[in-house]
Short mmCIF file of all heavy atoms in Angstrom, two decimals:
data_model
loop_
_atom_site.label_atom_id
_atom_site.label_comp_id
_atom_site.label_asym_id
_atom_site.label_seq_id
_atom_site.Cartn_x
_atom_site.Cartn_y
_atom_site.Cartn_z
N LEU A 999 -25.95 109.11 -2.48
CA LEU A 999 -27.07 108.19 -2.29
C LEU A 999 -27.48 107.56 -3.62
O LEU A 999 -27.92 106.40 -3.66
CB LEU A 999 -28.25 108.92 -1.66
CG LEU A 999 -28.02 109.52 -0.27
CD1 LEU A 999 -29.27 110.25 0.20
CD2 LEU A 999 -27.62 108.44 0.73
N LEU A 1000 -27.33 108.31 -4.70
CA LEU A 1000 -27.65 107.77 -6.02
C LEU A 1000 -26.61 106.74 -6.44
O LEU A 1000 -26.93 105.73 -7.08
CB LEU A 1000 -27.74 108.89 -7.05
CG LEU A 1000 -28.76 109.99 -6.73
CD1 LEU A 1000 -28.77 111.05 -7.84
CD2 LEU A 1000 -30.15 109.41 -6.54
N THR A 1001 -25.36 107.00 -6.07
CA THR A 1001 -24.30 106.02 -6.34
C THR A 1001 -24.57 104.73 -5.57
O THR A 1001 -24.42 103.62 -6.09
CB THR A 1001 -22.93 106.59 -5.95
OG1 THR A 1001 -22.70 107.80 -6.68
CG2 THR A 1001 -21.82 105.60 -6.24
N ARG A 1002 -24.99 104.88 -4.32
CA ARG A 1002 -25.32 103.71 -3.50
C ARG A 1002 -26.49 102.94 -4.12
O ARG A 1002 -26.49 101.71 -4.14
CB ARG A 1002 -25.65 104.14 -2.08
CG ARG A 1002 -25.96 103.01 -1.12
CD ARG A 1002 -26.33 103.56 0.25
NE ARG A 1002 -25.17 103.99 1.00
CZ ARG A 1002 -24.56 103.28 1.94
NH1 ARG A 1002 -25.01 102.06 2.24
NH2 ARG A 1002 -23.53 103.75 2.59
N ARG A 1003 -27.47 103.66 -4.62
CA ARG A 1003 -28.62 103.01 -5.24
C ARG A 1003 -28.19 102.18 -6.45
O ARG A 1003 -28.70 101.07 -6.67
CB ARG A 1003 -29.66 104.05 -5.67
CG ARG A 1003 -30.88 103.44 -6.33
CD ARG A 1003 -31.89 104.49 -6.74
NE ARG A 1003 -31.36 105.37 -7.77
CZ ARG A 1003 -32.05 106.38 -8.30
NH1 ARG A 1003 -33.27 106.66 -7.86
NH2 ARG A 1003 -31.51 107.14 -9.24
N ALA A 1004 -27.26 102.72 -7.24
CA ALA A 1004 -26.80 102.00 -8.42
C ALA A 1004 -26.14 100.68 -8.04
O ALA A 1004 -26.20 99.70 -8.79
CB ALA A 1004 -25.84 102.87 -9.22
N LYS A 1005 -25.50 100.65 -6.86
CA LYS A 1005 -24.84 99.43 -6.41
C LYS A 1005 -25.79 98.47 -5.71
O LYS A 1005 -25.47 97.30 -5.53
CB LYS A 1005 -23.70 99.80 -5.45
CG LYS A 1005 -22.59 100.62 -6.08
CD LYS A 1005 -21.54 100.99 -5.05
CE LYS A 1005 -20.41 101.81 -5.66
NZ LYS A 1005 -19.42 102.23 -4.63
N GLN A 1006 -26.95 98.99 -5.29
CA GLN A 1006 -27.91 98.16 -4.56
C GLN A 1006 -29.27 98.22 -5.24
O GLN A 1006 -30.30 98.49 -4.61
CB GLN A 1006 -28.02 98.63 -3.10
CG GLN A 1006 -26.70 98.57 -2.35
CD GLN A 1006 -26.83 99.02 -0.91
OE1 GLN A 1006 -27.85 98.82 -0.26
NE2 GLN A 1006 -25.78 99.62 -0.38
N SER A 1007 -29.27 98.00 -6.54
CA SER A 1007 -30.51 98.06 -7.31
C SER A 1007 -31.53 97.08 -6.76
O SER A 1007 -31.19 95.97 -6.34
CB SER A 1007 -30.22 97.76 -8.78
OG SER A 1007 -29.66 96.46 -8.93
N GLY A 1008 -32.76 97.52 -6.75
CA GLY A 1008 -33.83 96.67 -6.24
C GLY A 1008 -34.14 96.88 -4.77
O GLY A 1008 -35.10 96.30 -4.26
N THR A 1009 -33.34 97.70 -4.07
CA THR A 1009 -33.63 97.97 -2.67
C THR A 1009 -34.94 98.75 -2.56
O THR A 1009 -35.13 99.73 -3.28
CB THR A 1009 -32.49 98.79 -2.02
OG1 THR A 1009 -31.26 98.08 -2.19
CG2 THR A 1009 -32.76 99.01 -0.55
N PRO A 1010 -35.86 98.34 -1.69
CA PRO A 1010 -37.15 99.03 -1.59
C PRO A 1010 -37.00 100.51 -1.24
O PRO A 1010 -36.12 100.90 -0.48
CB PRO A 1010 -37.86 98.27 -0.45
CG PRO A 1010 -37.20 96.93 -0.42
CD PRO A 1010 -35.78 97.17 -0.81
N GLY A 1011 -37.88 101.34 -1.83
CA GLY A 1011 -37.95 102.75 -1.48
C GLY A 1011 -37.01 103.66 -2.23
O GLY A 1011 -36.90 104.84 -1.90
N CYS A 1012 -36.32 103.14 -3.25
CA CYS A 1012 -35.30 103.95 -3.94
C CYS A 1012 -35.87 104.85 -5.04
O CYS A 1012 -35.16 105.73 -5.53
CB CYS A 1012 -34.24 103.04 -4.58
SG CYS A 1012 -33.17 102.24 -3.38
N GLN A 1013 -37.11 104.61 -5.44
CA GLN A 1013 -37.62 105.28 -6.63
C GLN A 1013 -37.62 106.80 -6.50
O GLN A 1013 -37.45 107.52 -7.50
CB GLN A 1013 -39.06 104.81 -6.92
CG GLN A 1013 -39.18 103.31 -7.21
CD GLN A 1013 -39.26 102.47 -5.94
OE1 GLN A 1013 -39.13 102.98 -4.85
NE2 GLN A 1013 -39.46 101.18 -6.13
N ARG A 1014 -37.77 107.33 -5.29
CA ARG A 1014 -37.92 108.78 -5.10
C ARG A 1014 -36.60 109.48 -4.79
O ARG A 1014 -36.56 110.69 -4.56
CB ARG A 1014 -38.92 109.01 -3.97
CG ARG A 1014 -39.61 110.36 -3.97
CD ARG A 1014 -40.39 110.53 -2.69
NE ARG A 1014 -39.55 110.23 -1.54
CZ ARG A 1014 -40.02 109.87 -0.36
NH1 ARG A 1014 -41.31 109.74 -0.19
NH2 ARG A 1014 -39.21 109.62 0.65
N LEU A 1015 -35.51 108.74 -4.76
CA LEU A 1015 -34.24 109.33 -4.34
C LEU A 1015 -33.79 110.47 -5.24
O LEU A 1015 -33.15 111.42 -4.77
CB LEU A 1015 -33.15 108.26 -4.28
CG LEU A 1015 -33.07 107.44 -2.99
CD1 LEU A 1015 -31.97 106.40 -3.09
CD2 LEU A 1015 -32.86 108.34 -1.79
N ASP A 1016 -34.09 110.41 -6.54
CA ASP A 1016 -33.69 111.50 -7.43
C ASP A 1016 -34.30 112.82 -6.96
O ASP A 1016 -33.61 113.85 -6.93
CB ASP A 1016 -34.15 111.21 -8.87
CG ASP A 1016 -33.44 110.00 -9.46
OD1 ASP A 1016 -32.28 110.14 -9.86
OD2 ASP A 1016 -34.05 108.93 -9.50
N GLU A 1017 -35.57 112.79 -6.58
CA GLU A 1017 -36.24 114.01 -6.13
C GLU A 1017 -35.68 114.47 -4.79
O GLU A 1017 -35.47 115.67 -4.57
CB GLU A 1017 -37.75 113.77 -6.02
CG GLU A 1017 -38.55 115.02 -5.78
CD GLU A 1017 -40.05 114.78 -5.80
OE1 GLU A 1017 -40.47 113.61 -5.89
OE2 GLU A 1017 -40.80 115.78 -5.73
N VAL A 1018 -35.43 113.54 -3.89
CA VAL A 1018 -34.87 113.89 -2.58
C VAL A 1018 -33.51 114.57 -2.75
O VAL A 1018 -33.25 115.63 -2.16
CB VAL A 1018 -34.73 112.64 -1.69
CG1 VAL A 1018 -33.96 112.97 -0.41
CG2 VAL A 1018 -36.11 112.07 -1.35
N VAL A 1019 -32.65 113.98 -3.56
CA VAL A 1019 -31.30 114.53 -3.77
C VAL A 1019 -31.39 115.89 -4.46
O VAL A 1019 -30.66 116.82 -4.10
CB VAL A 1019 -30.45 113.54 -4.58
CG1 VAL A 1019 -29.13 114.19 -5.02
CG2 VAL A 1019 -30.17 112.28 -3.75
N ALA A 1020 -32.29 116.03 -5.43
CA ALA A 1020 -32.42 117.30 -6.14
C ALA A 1020 -32.86 118.43 -5.21
O ALA A 1020 -32.47 119.59 -5.39
CB ALA A 1020 -33.42 117.15 -7.29
N LEU A 1021 -33.65 118.10 -4.20
CA LEU A 1021 -34.15 119.12 -3.27
C LEU A 1021 -33.22 119.37 -2.10
O LEU A 1021 -33.42 120.32 -1.34
CB LEU A 1021 -35.53 118.70 -2.73
CG LEU A 1021 -36.69 118.76 -3.72
CD1 LEU A 1021 -37.92 118.10 -3.13
CD2 LEU A 1021 -36.99 120.21 -4.10
N SER A 1022 -32.23 118.53 -1.92
CA SER A 1022 -31.35 118.63 -0.75
C SER A 1022 -30.40 119.82 -0.85
O SER A 1022 -29.82 120.08 -1.90
CB SER A 1022 -30.56 117.34 -0.57
OG SER A 1022 -29.75 117.42 0.58
N ARG A 1023 -30.26 120.52 0.28
CA ARG A 1023 -29.31 121.64 0.40
C ARG A 1023 -28.58 121.48 1.73
O ARG A 1023 -29.01 122.00 2.76
CB ARG A 1023 -30.04 122.98 0.36
CG ARG A 1023 -30.92 123.22 -0.86
CD ARG A 1023 -30.10 123.44 -2.12
NE ARG A 1023 -30.97 123.71 -3.26
CZ ARG A 1023 -31.45 122.79 -4.09
NH1 ARG A 1023 -31.12 121.51 -3.90
NH2 ARG A 1023 -32.23 123.11 -5.09
N PRO A 1024 -27.44 120.78 1.74
CA PRO A 1024 -26.76 120.50 3.00
C PRO A 1024 -26.25 121.73 3.74
O PRO A 1024 -25.86 121.62 4.91
CB PRO A 1024 -25.58 119.61 2.57
CG PRO A 1024 -26.02 118.99 1.28
CD PRO A 1024 -26.85 120.05 0.62
N ARG A 1025 -26.26 122.92 3.10
CA ARG A 1025 -25.85 124.13 3.82
C ARG A 1025 -26.87 124.50 4.90
O ARG A 1025 -26.55 125.27 5.82
CB ARG A 1025 -25.69 125.29 2.85
CG ARG A 1025 -24.39 125.23 2.03
CD ARG A 1025 -24.35 126.33 0.98
NE ARG A 1025 -24.49 127.66 1.56
CZ ARG A 1025 -23.50 128.36 2.09
NH1 ARG A 1025 -22.27 127.84 2.13
NH2 ARG A 1025 -23.69 129.57 2.58
N SER A 1026 -28.08 123.99 4.79
CA SER A 1026 -29.10 124.29 5.79
C SER A 1026 -28.61 123.89 7.18
O SER A 1026 -28.03 122.82 7.35
CB SER A 1026 -30.38 123.53 5.44
OG SER A 1026 -31.38 123.78 6.41
N GLU A 1027 -28.89 124.73 8.17
CA GLU A 1027 -28.35 124.49 9.50
C GLU A 1027 -29.37 123.99 10.51
O GLU A 1027 -29.04 123.81 11.68
CB GLU A 1027 -27.68 125.77 10.02
CG GLU A 1027 -26.40 126.10 9.25
CD GLU A 1027 -25.60 127.22 9.89
OE1 GLU A 1027 -26.13 127.86 10.83
OE2 GLU A 1027 -24.45 127.45 9.46
N SER A 1028 -30.61 123.77 10.08
CA SER A 1028 -31.59 123.19 11.00
C SER A 1028 -32.72 122.54 10.21
O SER A 1028 -33.03 122.96 9.09
CB SER A 1028 -32.17 124.27 11.94
OG SER A 1028 -33.17 125.03 11.29
N PRO A 1029 -33.35 121.51 10.80
CA PRO A 1029 -34.48 120.88 10.13
C PRO A 1029 -35.60 121.86 9.81
O PRO A 1029 -36.25 121.75 8.76
CB PRO A 1029 -34.94 119.83 11.15
CG PRO A 1029 -33.69 119.46 11.88
CD PRO A 1029 -32.94 120.76 12.02
N MET A 1030 -35.85 122.84 10.69
CA MET A 1030 -36.92 123.79 10.44
C MET A 1030 -36.62 124.67 9.23
O MET A 1030 -37.52 125.06 8.49
CB MET A 1030 -37.19 124.65 11.67
CG MET A 1030 -38.03 123.95 12.71
SD MET A 1030 -39.66 123.47 12.06
CE MET A 1030 -40.39 122.78 13.53
N GLU A 1031 -35.35 125.01 9.02
CA GLU A 1031 -34.98 125.76 7.82
C GLU A 1031 -35.35 124.97 6.57
O GLU A 1031 -35.90 125.52 5.61
CB GLU A 1031 -33.48 126.06 7.81
CG GLU A 1031 -33.03 127.12 8.79
CD GLU A 1031 -31.53 127.31 8.74
OE1 GLU A 1031 -30.93 127.14 7.65
OE2 GLU A 1031 -30.94 127.61 9.79
N THR A 1032 -35.04 123.68 6.59
CA THR A 1032 -35.36 122.84 5.43
C THR A 1032 -36.86 122.74 5.24
O THR A 1032 -37.36 122.86 4.11
CB THR A 1032 -34.75 121.44 5.61
OG1 THR A 1032 -33.33 121.54 5.67
CG2 THR A 1032 -35.12 120.54 4.43
N ARG A 1033 -37.60 122.52 6.32
CA ARG A 1033 -39.06 122.41 6.20
C ARG A 1033 -39.66 123.70 5.63
O ARG A 1033 -40.55 123.66 4.77
CB ARG A 1033 -39.67 122.08 7.56
CG ARG A 1033 -39.30 120.69 8.06
CD ARG A 1033 -40.04 120.34 9.36
NE ARG A 1033 -39.64 119.01 9.83
CZ ARG A 1033 -38.87 118.78 10.88
NH1 ARG A 1033 -38.41 119.80 11.59
NH2 ARG A 1033 -38.53 117.55 11.23
N LEU A 1034 -39.18 124.84 6.09
CA LEU A 1034 -39.71 126.11 5.60
C LEU A 1034 -39.33 126.32 4.14
O LEU A 1034 -40.17 126.73 3.32
CB LEU A 1034 -39.18 127.27 6.45
CG LEU A 1034 -39.59 128.66 5.99
CD1 LEU A 1034 -41.11 128.80 5.94
CD2 LEU A 1034 -38.98 129.73 6.90
N ARG A 1035 -38.09 126.03 3.79
CA ARG A 1035 -37.66 126.19 2.39
C ARG A 1035 -38.52 125.36 1.46
O ARG A 1035 -38.99 125.84 0.42
CB ARG A 1035 -36.18 125.79 2.25
CG ARG A 1035 -35.67 125.77 0.82
CD ARG A 1035 -34.19 125.47 0.76
NE ARG A 1035 -33.85 124.17 1.28
CZ ARG A 1035 -33.92 123.03 0.61
NH1 ARG A 1035 -34.37 123.02 -0.66
NH2 ARG A 1035 -33.55 121.89 1.15
N LEU A 1036 -38.77 124.11 1.82
CA LEU A 1036 -39.57 123.24 0.97
C LEU A 1036 -41.02 123.71 0.91
O LEU A 1036 -41.67 123.60 -0.13
CB LEU A 1036 -39.50 121.80 1.48
CG LEU A 1036 -38.13 121.14 1.38
CD1 LEU A 1036 -38.18 119.73 1.95
CD2 LEU A 1036 -37.63 121.10 -0.05
N ALA A 1037 -41.54 124.22 2.03
CA ALA A 1037 -42.92 124.73 2.03
C ALA A 1037 -43.05 125.91 1.07
O ALA A 1037 -44.06 126.02 0.35
CB ALA A 1037 -43.33 125.15 3.45
N LEU A 1038 -42.05 126.78 1.03
CA LEU A 1038 -42.09 127.93 0.12
C LEU A 1038 -42.05 127.46 -1.34
O LEU A 1038 -42.80 127.95 -2.18
CB LEU A 1038 -40.92 128.87 0.41
CG LEU A 1038 -40.95 129.55 1.79
CD1 LEU A 1038 -39.65 130.33 2.02
CD2 LEU A 1038 -42.15 130.48 1.91
N VAL A 1039 -41.18 126.51 -1.62
CA VAL A 1039 -41.05 126.00 -2.99
C VAL A 1039 -42.35 125.32 -3.42
O VAL A 1039 -42.85 125.52 -4.53
CB VAL A 1039 -39.86 125.04 -3.10
CG1 VAL A 1039 -39.86 124.33 -4.45
CG2 VAL A 1039 -38.56 125.79 -2.91
N ARG A 1040 -42.91 124.50 -2.54
CA ARG A 1040 -44.13 123.78 -2.88
C ARG A 1040 -45.34 124.71 -2.99
O ARG A 1040 -46.35 124.36 -3.62
CB ARG A 1040 -44.39 122.68 -1.84
CG ARG A 1040 -43.27 121.64 -1.79
CD ARG A 1040 -43.51 120.60 -0.73
NE ARG A 1040 -44.25 119.46 -1.26
CZ ARG A 1040 -44.60 118.41 -0.52
NH1 ARG A 1040 -44.30 118.39 0.76
NH2 ARG A 1040 -45.26 117.41 -1.05
N ALA A 1041 -45.25 125.90 -2.40
CA ALA A 1041 -46.32 126.89 -2.52
C ALA A 1041 -46.19 127.72 -3.78
O ALA A 1041 -47.02 128.59 -4.04
CB ALA A 1041 -46.34 127.80 -1.29
N GLY A 1042 -45.13 127.47 -4.56
CA GLY A 1042 -44.95 128.17 -5.81
C GLY A 1042 -44.06 129.38 -5.74
O GLY A 1042 -43.89 130.09 -6.74
N LEU A 1043 -43.46 129.65 -4.59
CA LEU A 1043 -42.54 130.78 -4.47
C LEU A 1043 -41.17 130.39 -4.99
O LEU A 1043 -40.82 129.21 -5.04
CB LEU A 1043 -42.42 131.22 -3.01
CG LEU A 1043 -43.48 132.21 -2.49
CD1 LEU A 1043 -44.84 131.56 -2.44
CD2 LEU A 1043 -43.07 132.75 -1.12
N PRO A 1044 -40.36 131.39 -5.38
CA PRO A 1044 -38.99 131.06 -5.77
C PRO A 1044 -38.24 130.42 -4.61
O PRO A 1044 -38.53 130.70 -3.44
CB PRO A 1044 -38.39 132.44 -6.12
CG PRO A 1044 -39.56 133.34 -6.34
CD PRO A 1044 -40.66 132.82 -5.47
N GLU A 1045 -37.29 129.58 -4.91
CA GLU A 1045 -36.52 128.96 -3.84
C GLU A 1045 -35.56 129.98 -3.23
O GLU A 1045 -34.79 130.62 -3.95
CB GLU A 1045 -35.71 127.76 -4.35
CG GLU A 1045 -34.93 127.09 -3.23
CD GLU A 1045 -34.21 125.82 -3.67
OE1 GLU A 1045 -34.40 125.39 -4.83
OE2 GLU A 1045 -33.45 125.27 -2.85
N PRO A 1046 -35.59 130.14 -1.91
CA PRO A 1046 -34.66 131.09 -1.27
C PRO A 1046 -33.25 130.53 -1.22
O PRO A 1046 -33.04 129.31 -1.26
CB PRO A 1046 -35.24 131.25 0.13
CG PRO A 1046 -35.95 129.96 0.39
CD PRO A 1046 -36.50 129.50 -0.93
#
Side-chain angles (χ1 to χ4, degrees):
L999 299 178
L1000 302 181
T1001 302
R1002 182 182 283 260
R1003 180 180 65 180
K1005 296 177 180 178
Q1006 301 181 33
S1007 60
T1009 304
C1012 289
Q1013 298 83 355
R1014 203 189 50 203
L1015 276 179
D1016 294 282
E1017 190 175 6
V1018 172
V1019 170
L1021 289 170
S1022 182
R1023 304 289 182 268
R1025 283 174 58 83
S1026 179
E1027 291 189 350
S1028 80
M1030 280 301 183
E1031 287 178 32
T1032 297
R1033 293 186 181 108
L1034 177 58
R1035 174 175 62 83
L1036 294 179
L1038 295 173
V1039 171
R1040 298 178 91 181
L1043 274 68
E1045 182 175 354

